[in-house]
Amino acid sequence: MPAAPHAVTSTLSRDIVAASLDHLVRITLPGGRFIYAHEMGDTDQRHDGYNLLRHCGTLWFMARAANETDREQTDATLEAIRRATGFLGRKLEPAPWARPDQPSLALVGKGMVKLGGLGLGLLALSEAGRITALDGKLTDLPLGLDETATRMRRYALDEIDGDDFRHKRILATGEVTPFRSDYYTGEAIFGLLVSGPADTELTRVTTALMRRGYGWAQQSHWMAYAACEAVEREIVPKTLGATYLTGLMEAILGDALYRSRRQSTPIACRTEALTRVLLLARRLPGLLSADLLARVRAHAAENLALQLDWYRDGQFQQGDDARKVQIDYIQHNATAFLHWAQLEA
C-alpha cells in the first residue's frame, strides 16, 4: 500500500498552476519559441532540441491557465501567449495535395506532418482564441484565427482512414509513412471536437474507437480527454461513454507500475486522465459508479502527492535521477494540478 499522500489542497494547486505559468512566460523567447529544456533552477543550463507538438501542448496549458483561473493576467503573460501562438502559425503550410476548393493547412516540422500536431495545435489556438484580452491581437496568423483553424481541421479530417487516422506524412510528396503513435489519434479527436462541430465521419470514427477500447492498454490520457469531450458534446451515447471511461479508469487503477519509474510526467499524464474524468462525473452525476469515482479520486490524490517530489518554483524535473526540466513536463504536471484545483474549489 502506498504511504498516505500529502494533502494537496486547492490553494496549493492554484499556486503551482500560477508559478508554472509564470515560469513558462519567463522562458518564452522573443520569436515565440520556448527554452525547450534546462536544468532545474537554471535556465542558462539548456538542453538541445525542440518538439513542435510539445510547443503546442505547452501553449494550450498556458492559455487554459489564463482562462480558467481567477488570477488577473499580466501584459507579460498575454505577450508570451501571443508570441508562442505566432510561432505556431509560422509552422503552418498549405498541403500541396489538397484540392484547390478545399485548402488545408499542415503543421510542419522538419518536413514532416504529424497528426498529433494538428490536434494539439487546434487545442492551443482554440484556447488562445478565448482570451478576451487577445482579441484582434493574434496578428501572426495571416488568415485570421477562424480560417486558420478551419484549414487545420480540414487537414486532420482528411486523415481519417477507416476506423482510425493516418499519423504521419512527408510534406513534399504527401507520402504516408508507416509511423504510428499511441497518442496522435486521441490528440486529433480531442482537438477536432474542441475546435468545431463533429461531422458524420468524425462521429463514426470516434464511436468505433471507443467501442473497441482504443487507448485502454496505453492508459491514454489523450483518449480520456477525447472521450470526455465526446460525451459532453453528445457525440456518443452516454452508455458508450460510461463503458469506455470505466474501462480506461480500471486500466489505470489496475496497473500502477508507471509510478515505479519515479518520473514526473508518466504519473502526471495518468493524473490528467483521472482528474478529467472526475470533472466530467461532476457535470454528469450518475454516469459512473460511486465506487469507481472514489477509487479514481484516491489514486489521483496519491499521484499528485508523488508529483510534488519533483516540483520547485514553477518547474517539474524529469525524475529522481534527472534534474532536466522540459516544457512538456511542466505542461502535463501543471495541468493535473489545474484540474485538482477545479475539483477542490
mmCIF file of all heavy atoms in Angstrom, residues 92-134:
data_model
loop_
_atom_site.group_PDB
_atom_site.id
_atom_site.type_symbol
_atom_site.label_atom_id
_atom_site.label_comp_id
_atom_site.label_asym_id
_atom_site.label_seq_id
_atom_site.Cartn_x
_atom_site.Cartn_y
_atom_site.Cartn_z
ATOM 1 N N LEU A 92 2.801 26.578 -40.044
ATOM 2 C CA LEU A 92 1.695 26.068 -40.861
ATOM 3 C C LEU A 92 1.991 26.299 -42.338
ATOM 4 O O LEU A 92 2.407 27.390 -42.732
ATOM 5 C CB LEU A 92 0.391 26.760 -40.475
ATOM 6 C CG LEU A 92 -0.128 26.476 -39.063
ATOM 7 C CD1 LEU A 92 -1.266 27.420 -38.708
ATOM 8 C CD2 LEU A 92 -0.583 25.022 -38.928
ATOM 9 N N GLU A 93 1.771 25.274 -43.148
ATOM 10 C CA GLU A 93 1.981 25.374 -44.591
ATOM 11 C C GLU A 93 0.822 24.700 -45.309
ATOM 12 O O GLU A 93 0.252 23.714 -44.814
ATOM 13 C CB GLU A 93 3.284 24.689 -45.002
ATOM 14 C CG GLU A 93 4.542 25.301 -44.410
ATOM 15 C CD GLU A 93 5.795 24.645 -44.942
ATOM 16 O OE1 GLU A 93 5.795 24.268 -46.144
ATOM 17 O OE2 GLU A 93 6.767 24.503 -44.188
ATOM 18 N N PRO A 94 0.449 25.199 -46.490
ATOM 19 C CA PRO A 94 -0.606 24.529 -47.265
ATOM 20 C C PRO A 94 -0.185 23.110 -47.630
ATOM 21 O O PRO A 94 0.977 22.860 -47.959
ATOM 22 C CB PRO A 94 -0.740 25.409 -48.512
ATOM 23 C CG PRO A 94 -0.129 26.721 -48.134
ATOM 24 C CD PRO A 94 0.959 26.410 -47.151
ATOM 25 N N ALA A 95 -1.118 22.204 -47.565
ATOM 26 C CA ALA A 95 -0.852 20.835 -48.006
ATOM 27 C C ALA A 95 -0.888 20.798 -49.527
ATOM 28 O O ALA A 95 -1.927 21.094 -50.128
ATOM 29 C CB ALA A 95 -1.896 19.889 -47.424
ATOM 30 N N PRO A 96 0.229 20.463 -50.196
ATOM 31 C CA PRO A 96 0.279 20.550 -51.661
ATOM 32 C C PRO A 96 -0.741 19.662 -52.369
ATOM 33 O O PRO A 96 -1.135 19.951 -53.494
ATOM 34 C CB PRO A 96 1.716 20.111 -51.986
ATOM 35 C CG PRO A 96 2.489 20.315 -50.730
ATOM 36 C CD PRO A 96 1.516 20.074 -49.612
ATOM 37 N N TRP A 97 -1.158 18.591 -51.701
ATOM 38 C CA TRP A 97 -2.059 17.640 -52.351
ATOM 39 C C TRP A 97 -3.536 17.990 -52.148
ATOM 40 O O TRP A 97 -4.420 17.313 -52.665
ATOM 41 C CB TRP A 97 -1.790 16.232 -51.818
ATOM 42 C CG TRP A 97 -1.909 16.138 -50.325
ATOM 43 C CD1 TRP A 97 -3.041 15.914 -49.598
ATOM 44 C CD2 TRP A 97 -0.863 16.296 -49.378
ATOM 45 N NE1 TRP A 97 -2.763 15.923 -48.257
ATOM 46 C CE2 TRP A 97 -1.431 16.154 -48.092
ATOM 47 C CE3 TRP A 97 0.515 16.545 -49.484
ATOM 48 C CZ2 TRP A 97 -0.676 16.255 -46.914
ATOM 49 C CZ3 TRP A 97 1.257 16.636 -48.320
ATOM 50 C CH2 TRP A 97 0.676 16.500 -47.055
ATOM 51 N N ALA A 98 -3.839 19.026 -51.370
ATOM 52 C CA ALA A 98 -5.240 19.378 -51.099
ATOM 53 C C ALA A 98 -5.904 19.908 -52.367
ATOM 54 O O ALA A 98 -5.268 20.529 -53.221
ATOM 55 C CB ALA A 98 -5.317 20.425 -49.991
ATOM 56 N N ARG A 99 -7.214 19.661 -52.479
ATOM 57 C CA ARG A 99 -7.968 20.195 -53.610
ATOM 58 C C ARG A 99 -8.032 21.725 -53.507
ATOM 59 O O ARG A 99 -8.199 22.270 -52.411
ATOM 60 C CB ARG A 99 -9.392 19.626 -53.628
ATOM 61 C CG ARG A 99 -9.454 18.119 -53.735
ATOM 62 C CD ARG A 99 -10.842 17.655 -54.170
ATOM 63 N NE ARG A 99 -11.920 18.277 -53.411
ATOM 64 C CZ ARG A 99 -12.429 17.767 -52.280
ATOM 65 N NH1 ARG A 99 -11.931 16.649 -51.770
ATOM 66 N NH2 ARG A 99 -13.429 18.375 -51.658
ATOM 67 N N PRO A 100 -7.917 22.425 -54.620
ATOM 68 C CA PRO A 100 -7.917 23.897 -54.575
ATOM 69 C C PRO A 100 -9.157 24.484 -53.904
ATOM 70 O O PRO A 100 -9.076 25.544 -53.272
ATOM 71 C CB PRO A 100 -7.847 24.297 -56.057
ATOM 72 C CG PRO A 100 -7.191 23.129 -56.729
ATOM 73 C CD PRO A 100 -7.674 21.921 -55.988
ATOM 74 N N ASP A 101 -10.299 23.811 -54.066
ATOM 75 C CA ASP A 101 -11.524 24.333 -53.462
ATOM 76 C C ASP A 101 -11.679 23.904 -52.006
ATOM 77 O O ASP A 101 -12.639 24.308 -51.344
ATOM 78 C CB ASP A 101 -12.754 23.882 -54.262
ATOM 79 C CG ASP A 101 -12.912 22.362 -54.280
ATOM 80 O OD1 ASP A 101 -11.880 21.658 -54.162
ATOM 81 O OD2 ASP A 101 -14.049 21.878 -54.395
ATOM 82 N N GLN A 102 -10.733 23.107 -51.507
ATOM 83 C CA GLN A 102 -10.759 22.656 -50.117
ATOM 84 C C GLN A 102 -9.366 22.814 -49.507
ATOM 85 O O GLN A 102 -8.731 21.836 -49.114
ATOM 86 C CB GLN A 102 -11.208 21.193 -50.037
ATOM 87 C CG GLN A 102 -12.640 20.940 -50.461
ATOM 88 C CD GLN A 102 -13.628 21.456 -49.431
ATOM 89 O OE1 GLN A 102 -13.520 21.186 -48.245
ATOM 90 N NE2 GLN A 102 -14.601 22.236 -49.891
ATOM 91 N N PRO A 103 -8.856 24.034 -49.406
ATOM 92 C CA PRO A 103 -7.471 24.228 -48.920
ATOM 93 C C PRO A 103 -7.335 23.806 -47.468
ATOM 94 O O PRO A 103 -8.247 23.991 -46.659
ATOM 95 C CB PRO A 103 -7.252 25.730 -49.078
ATOM 96 C CG PRO A 103 -8.626 26.335 -49.033
ATOM 97 C CD PRO A 103 -9.524 25.317 -49.686
ATOM 98 N N SER A 104 -6.189 23.222 -47.162
ATOM 99 C CA SER A 104 -5.921 22.798 -45.790
ATOM 100 C C SER A 104 -4.546 23.277 -45.376
ATOM 101 O O SER A 104 -3.717 23.646 -46.210
ATOM 102 C CB SER A 104 -6.018 21.271 -45.664
ATOM 103 O OG SER A 104 -5.032 20.629 -46.441
ATOM 104 N N LEU A 105 -4.329 23.283 -44.068
ATOM 105 C CA LEU A 105 -3.047 23.692 -43.515
ATOM 106 C C LEU A 105 -2.440 22.555 -42.713
ATOM 107 O O LEU A 105 -3.124 21.940 -41.875
ATOM 108 C CB LEU A 105 -3.207 24.922 -42.620
ATOM 109 C CG LEU A 105 -3.364 26.276 -43.304
ATOM 110 C CD1 LEU A 105 -3.692 27.352 -42.274
ATOM 111 C CD2 LEU A 105 -2.096 26.648 -44.078
ATOM 112 N N ALA A 106 -1.168 22.289 -42.968
ATOM 113 C CA ALA A 106 -0.422 21.270 -42.235
ATOM 114 C C ALA A 106 0.532 21.955 -41.269
ATOM 115 O O ALA A 106 1.101 23.004 -41.581
ATOM 116 C CB ALA A 106 0.368 20.400 -43.211
ATOM 117 N N LEU A 107 0.700 21.363 -40.097
ATOM 118 C CA LEU A 107 1.692 21.841 -39.131
ATOM 119 C C LEU A 107 2.974 21.066 -39.408
ATOM 120 O O LEU A 107 3.014 19.842 -39.244
ATOM 121 C CB LEU A 107 1.197 21.607 -37.709
ATOM 122 C CG LEU A 107 2.043 22.213 -36.595
ATOM 123 C CD1 LEU A 107 1.982 23.739 -36.643
ATOM 124 C CD2 LEU A 107 1.566 21.727 -35.223
ATOM 125 N N VAL A 108 4.012 21.775 -39.826
ATOM 126 C CA VAL A 108 5.191 21.132 -40.418
ATOM 127 C C VAL A 108 6.412 21.325 -39.532
ATOM 128 O O VAL A 108 6.762 22.449 -39.159
ATOM 129 C CB VAL A 108 5.471 21.693 -41.823
ATOM 130 C CG1 VAL A 108 6.630 20.950 -42.466
ATOM 131 C CG2 VAL A 108 4.216 21.599 -42.689
ATOM 132 N N GLY A 109 7.055 20.220 -39.221
ATOM 133 C CA GLY A 109 8.323 20.244 -38.514
ATOM 134 C C GLY A 109 9.316 19.342 -39.214
ATOM 135 O O GLY A 109 9.037 18.155 -39.426
ATOM 136 N N LYS A 110 10.432 19.897 -39.636
ATOM 137 C CA LYS A 110 11.475 19.134 -40.316
ATOM 138 C C LYS A 110 10.933 18.394 -41.537
ATOM 139 O O LYS A 110 11.304 17.248 -41.817
ATOM 140 C CB LYS A 110 12.148 18.157 -39.353
ATOM 141 C CG LYS A 110 12.809 18.846 -38.167
ATOM 142 C CD LYS A 110 13.408 17.854 -37.186
ATOM 143 C CE LYS A 110 14.023 18.563 -35.983
ATOM 144 N NZ LYS A 110 14.556 17.626 -34.972
ATOM 145 N N GLY A 111 10.026 19.049 -42.258
ATOM 146 C CA GLY A 111 9.493 18.483 -43.487
ATOM 147 C C GLY A 111 8.432 17.431 -43.296
ATOM 148 O O GLY A 111 7.936 16.863 -44.281
ATOM 149 N N MET A 112 8.059 17.157 -42.055
ATOM 150 C CA MET A 112 7.072 16.117 -41.750
ATOM 151 C C MET A 112 5.803 16.745 -41.158
ATOM 152 O O MET A 112 5.858 17.776 -40.484
ATOM 153 C CB MET A 112 7.645 15.103 -40.753
ATOM 154 C CG MET A 112 8.992 14.520 -41.139
ATOM 155 S SD MET A 112 8.973 13.619 -42.713
ATOM 156 C CE MET A 112 7.902 12.250 -42.307
ATOM 157 N N VAL A 113 4.685 16.080 -41.407
ATOM 158 C CA VAL A 113 3.405 16.492 -40.836
ATOM 159 C C VAL A 113 2.923 15.371 -39.921
ATOM 160 O O VAL A 113 2.691 14.247 -40.375
ATOM 161 C CB VAL A 113 2.349 16.754 -41.924
ATOM 162 C CG1 VAL A 113 1.087 17.344 -41.288
ATOM 163 C CG2 VAL A 113 2.885 17.657 -43.009
ATOM 164 N N LYS A 114 2.796 15.694 -38.646
ATOM 165 C CA LYS A 114 2.345 14.718 -37.653
ATOM 166 C C LYS A 114 0.914 15.044 -37.234
ATOM 167 O O LYS A 114 0.632 16.178 -36.830
ATOM 168 C CB LYS A 114 3.273 14.731 -36.438
ATOM 169 C CG LYS A 114 4.717 14.384 -36.764
ATOM 170 C CD LYS A 114 5.613 14.503 -35.535
ATOM 171 C CE LYS A 114 7.066 14.190 -35.865
ATOM 172 N NZ LYS A 114 7.951 14.326 -34.676
ATOM 173 N N LEU A 115 0.053 14.061 -37.328
ATOM 174 C CA LEU A 115 -1.359 14.268 -36.997
ATOM 175 C C LEU A 115 -1.535 14.849 -35.598
ATOM 176 O O LEU A 115 -2.365 15.734 -35.388
ATOM 177 C CB LEU A 115 -2.110 12.938 -37.104
ATOM 178 C CG LEU A 115 -3.593 12.991 -36.718
ATOM 179 C CD1 LEU A 115 -4.402 13.675 -37.801
ATOM 180 C CD2 LEU A 115 -4.119 11.589 -36.439
ATOM 181 N N GLY A 116 -0.751 14.362 -34.637
ATOM 182 C CA GLY A 116 -0.883 14.852 -33.274
ATOM 183 C C GLY A 116 -0.636 16.336 -33.168
ATOM 184 O O GLY A 116 -1.243 17.026 -32.333
ATOM 185 N N GLY A 117 0.242 16.872 -34.021
ATOM 186 C CA GLY A 117 0.498 18.301 -34.014
ATOM 187 C C GLY A 117 -0.722 19.099 -34.425
ATOM 188 O O GLY A 117 -0.987 20.177 -33.881
ATOM 189 N N LEU A 118 -1.490 18.562 -35.388
ATOM 190 C CA LEU A 118 -2.719 19.250 -35.782
ATOM 191 C C LEU A 118 -3.706 19.287 -34.614
ATOM 192 O O LEU A 118 -4.325 20.318 -34.347
ATOM 193 C CB LEU A 118 -3.352 18.531 -36.982
ATOM 194 C CG LEU A 118 -2.929 18.970 -38.392
ATOM 195 C CD1 LEU A 118 -3.334 20.404 -38.674
ATOM 196 C CD2 LEU A 118 -1.457 18.783 -38.629
ATOM 197 N N GLY A 119 -3.834 18.148 -33.916
ATOM 198 C CA GLY A 119 -4.747 18.112 -32.778
ATOM 199 C C GLY A 119 -4.359 19.072 -31.685
ATOM 200 O O GLY A 119 -5.180 19.856 -31.184
ATOM 201 N N LEU A 120 -3.087 19.050 -31.304
ATOM 202 C CA LEU A 120 -2.618 19.928 -30.237
ATOM 203 C C LEU A 120 -2.615 21.389 -30.682
ATOM 204 O O LEU A 120 -2.904 22.296 -29.882
ATOM 205 C CB LEU A 120 -1.225 19.505 -29.784
ATOM 206 C CG LEU A 120 -1.145 18.125 -29.116
ATOM 207 C CD1 LEU A 120 0.310 17.741 -28.870
ATOM 208 C CD2 LEU A 120 -1.914 18.099 -27.812
ATOM 209 N N GLY A 121 -2.304 21.634 -31.948
ATOM 210 C CA GLY A 121 -2.361 22.992 -32.462
ATOM 211 C C GLY A 121 -3.766 23.557 -32.422
ATOM 212 O O GLY A 121 -3.978 24.723 -32.084
ATOM 213 N N LEU A 122 -4.752 22.722 -32.760
ATOM 214 C CA LEU A 122 -6.145 23.161 -32.683
ATOM 215 C C LEU A 122 -6.552 23.466 -31.243
ATOM 216 O O LEU A 122 -7.268 24.439 -30.982
ATOM 217 C CB LEU A 122 -7.062 22.091 -33.277
ATOM 218 C CG LEU A 122 -7.061 21.999 -34.803
ATOM 219 C CD1 LEU A 122 -7.754 20.722 -35.266
ATOM 220 C CD2 LEU A 122 -7.736 23.227 -35.423
ATOM 221 N N LEU A 123 -6.103 22.650 -30.303
ATOM 222 C CA LEU A 123 -6.388 22.929 -28.895
ATOM 223 C C LEU A 123 -5.793 24.271 -28.481
ATOM 224 O O LEU A 123 -6.454 25.094 -27.838
ATOM 225 C CB LEU A 123 -5.817 21.818 -28.010
ATOM 226 C CG LEU A 123 -6.488 20.460 -28.067
ATOM 227 C CD1 LEU A 123 -5.672 19.437 -27.290
ATOM 228 C CD2 LEU A 123 -7.902 20.526 -27.506
ATOM 229 N N ALA A 124 -4.526 24.488 -28.850
ATOM 230 C CA ALA A 124 -3.841 25.715 -28.452
ATOM 231 C C ALA A 124 -4.515 26.945 -29.046
ATOM 232 O O ALA A 124 -4.762 27.939 -28.343
ATOM 233 C CB ALA A 124 -2.373 25.648 -28.875
ATOM 234 N N LEU A 125 -4.828 26.904 -30.344
ATOM 235 C CA LEU A 125 -5.445 28.066 -30.981
ATOM 236 C C LEU A 125 -6.852 28.303 -30.455
ATOM 237 O O LEU A 125 -7.263 29.464 -30.263
ATOM 238 C CB LEU A 125 -5.470 27.879 -32.490
ATOM 239 C CG LEU A 125 -4.114 27.899 -33.208
ATOM 240 C CD1 LEU A 125 -4.315 27.807 -34.716
ATOM 241 C CD2 LEU A 125 -3.316 29.148 -32.869
ATOM 242 N N SER A 126 -7.600 27.235 -30.222
ATOM 243 C CA SER A 126 -8.957 27.393 -29.698
ATOM 244 C C SER A 126 -8.930 28.055 -28.331
ATOM 245 O O SER A 126 -9.741 28.943 -28.034
ATOM 246 C CB SER A 126 -9.654 26.033 -29.607
ATOM 247 O OG SER A 126 -9.810 25.462 -30.887
ATOM 248 N N GLU A 127 -7.986 27.624 -27.476
ATOM 249 C CA GLU A 127 -7.920 28.179 -26.122
ATOM 250 C C GLU A 127 -7.379 29.602 -26.149
ATOM 251 O O GLU A 127 -7.885 30.482 -25.436
ATOM 252 C CB GLU A 127 -7.053 27.290 -25.239
ATOM 253 C CG GLU A 127 -7.282 27.461 -23.756
ATOM 254 C CD GLU A 127 -8.673 27.082 -23.298
ATOM 255 O OE1 GLU A 127 -9.173 26.025 -23.710
ATOM 256 O OE2 GLU A 127 -9.270 27.869 -22.524
ATOM 257 N N ALA A 128 -6.363 29.872 -26.957
ATOM 258 C CA ALA A 128 -5.848 31.237 -27.062
ATOM 259 C C ALA A 128 -6.921 32.178 -27.594
ATOM 260 O O ALA A 128 -7.007 33.343 -27.172
ATOM 261 C CB ALA A 128 -4.618 31.263 -27.970
ATOM 262 N N GLY A 129 -7.756 31.676 -28.482
ATOM 263 C CA GLY A 129 -8.820 32.492 -29.040
ATOM 264 C C GLY A 129 -9.888 32.881 -28.041
ATOM 265 O O GLY A 129 -10.673 33.809 -28.291
ATOM 266 N N ARG A 130 -9.928 32.199 -26.908
ATOM 267 C CA ARG A 130 -10.902 32.516 -25.863
ATOM 268 C C ARG A 130 -10.422 33.608 -24.922
ATOM 269 O O ARG A 130 -11.189 34.079 -24.082
ATOM 270 C CB ARG A 130 -11.227 31.253 -25.042
ATOM 271 C CG ARG A 130 -11.975 30.167 -25.802
ATOM 272 C CD ARG A 130 -12.223 28.963 -24.900
ATOM 273 N NE ARG A 130 -12.895 29.378 -23.674
ATOM 274 C CZ ARG A 130 -12.539 29.026 -22.436
ATOM 275 N NH1 ARG A 130 -11.481 28.237 -22.255
ATOM 276 N NH2 ARG A 130 -13.207 29.452 -21.380
ATOM 277 N N ILE A 131 -9.167 34.017 -25.027
ATOM 278 C CA ILE A 131 -8.630 35.044 -24.145
ATOM 279 C C ILE A 131 -9.081 36.408 -24.652
ATOM 280 O O ILE A 131 -8.622 36.893 -25.689
ATOM 281 C CB ILE A 131 -7.093 34.968 -24.080
ATOM 282 C CG1 ILE A 131 -6.648 33.582 -23.579
ATOM 283 C CG2 ILE A 131 -6.543 36.063 -23.173
ATOM 284 C CD1 ILE A 131 -5.143 33.378 -23.606
ATOM 285 N N THR A 132 -9.998 37.019 -23.948
ATOM 286 C CA THR A 132 -10.612 38.267 -24.405
ATOM 287 C C THR A 132 -9.581 39.344 -24.675
ATOM 288 O O THR A 132 -9.680 40.094 -25.661
ATOM 289 C CB THR A 132 -11.630 38.760 -23.359
ATOM 290 O OG1 THR A 132 -12.579 37.717 -23.110
ATOM 291 C CG2 THR A 132 -12.357 39.997 -23.841
ATOM 292 N N ALA A 133 -8.567 39.426 -23.816
ATOM 293 C CA ALA A 133 -7.565 40.479 -23.954
ATOM 294 C C ALA A 133 -6.715 40.331 -25.213
ATOM 295 O O ALA A 133 -5.993 41.260 -25.582
ATOM 296 C CB ALA A 133 -6.667 40.505 -22.719
ATOM 297 N N LEU A 134 -6.785 39.171 -25.871
ATOM 298 C CA LEU A 134 -6.016 38.963 -27.102
ATOM 299 C C LEU A 134 -6.872 39.119 -28.354
ATOM 300 O O LEU A 134 -6.381 38.886 -29.464
ATOM 301 C CB LEU A 134 -5.358 37.578 -27.089
ATOM 302 C CG LEU A 134 -4.190 37.402 -26.116
ATOM 303 C CD1 LEU A 134 -3.661 35.979 -26.163
ATOM 304 C CD2 LEU A 134 -3.070 38.394 -26.401
#
